[in-house]
């Protein structure tokens, strides 16, 4: 199984103090144990760093701890980089659906899932992806 992790899965999976850690961690553990092939959009890496260093949990990961978590993550999760065409496809998709604003970041994550040809886009926010295209709706799953 090829899974692309949305940041909504990675943040709780990486932070034991997060209230949804127990729900999300098993998927990351399966990837680490090579039971699945895992992917992440490069955009999500920056988003995960931003979110976990501002989480209202104790203990909150420091910037150095966040860096270490992401460095370790990249030893068993493949980062999917996007090209100019991927960005223009995401923008075109958003414009054609008349969707404004920050949804573009979900469209970029969706482009990474399509580029990696995953079987599953794992997220805690399925509506962010299912609204974009029918092929994404069939890939989108929640824990």
């Amino acid at each position: 199984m090829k899974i692309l992790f949305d940041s909504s899965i990675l943040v709780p999976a990486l932070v034991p103090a997060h209230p949804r850690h127990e729900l999300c961690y098993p998927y990351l553990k399966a990837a680490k144990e090579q039971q699945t092939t895992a992917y992440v959009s490069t955009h999500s890496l920056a988003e995960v760093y931003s979110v976990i260093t501002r989480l209202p949990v104790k203990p909150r990961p420091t910037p150095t701890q966040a860096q270490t978590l992401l460095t370790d993550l990249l030893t068993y999760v493949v980062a999917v980089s996007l090209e100019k065409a991927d960005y223009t496809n995401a923008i075109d998709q958003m414009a054609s659906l008349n969707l404004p604003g920050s949804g573009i970041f979900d469209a970029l994550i969706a482009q990474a899932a399509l580029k990696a040809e995953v079987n599953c886009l794992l997220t805690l926010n399925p509506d962010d992806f299912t609204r974009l295209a029918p092929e994404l709706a069939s890939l989108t799953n929640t824990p």
Side-chain angles (χ1 to χ4, degrees), residues 25-49:
Y25 180 71
Y27 295 91
L28 199 58
K29 182 179 178 196
K32 194 169 192 171
E33 294 173 354
Q34 298 180 355
Q35 297 169 0
T36 62
T37 305
Y39 297 85
V40 62
S41 164
T42 52
H43 167 78
S44 292
L45 295 171
E47 186 177 4
V48 168
Y49 176 88

Side-chain angles (χ1 to χ4, degrees), residues 122-135:
L122 194 64
T123 182
L124 292 176
N125 305 309
D127 293 344
D128 292 347
F129 299 99
T130 57
R131 68 184 178 161
L132 297 173
E135 66 267 22

